[in-house]
Amino acid sequence: MSTGKGIKRTKNNPVFYAELKKGHEIFLTDSSWQKVRQAAKEKEVSASEFIEQLIRKHFDCT
């Protein structure tokens, strides 16, 4: 998945998915958070987008 570069982003208009993302709070250990950040960096996405992709893949979301 691209990082959305080149896509004109507008407020309240989803770019990657059919719905807008909203803020949610999760709690992780420091070591888990570092693993998420490192994996996201390798995929060239944000930590939020990495977790989104992980959940969608695991639960077969469309």
Side-chain angles (χ1 to χ4, degrees), residues 24-37 47-48 50-51 54-55:
H24 298 279
E25 185 175 10
I26 62 171
F27 293 89
L28 301 171
T29 61
D30 286 340
S31 58
S32 291
W33 179 243
Q34 291 305 317
K35 289 177 184 178
V36 166
R37 290 184 59 201
S48 171
F50 177 78
I51 292 170
L54 188 68
I55 291 168

Side-chain angles (χ1 to χ4, degrees), residues 17 19 51-62:
Y17 308 107
E19 58 187 317
I51 292 170
E52 176 87 22
Q53 291 175 11
L54 188 68
I55 291 168
R56 286 179 174 270
K57 181 178 178 183
H58 181 74
F59 292 106
D60 194 31
C61 299
T62 55

Side-chain angles (χ1 to χ4, degrees), residues 38-54:
Q38 181 60 38
K41 184 177 180 181
E42 290 171 7
K43 291 187 85 172
E44 298 181 342
V45 297
S46 67
S48 171
E49 182 59 26
F50 177 78
I51 292 170
E52 176 87 22
Q53 291 175 11
L54 188 68

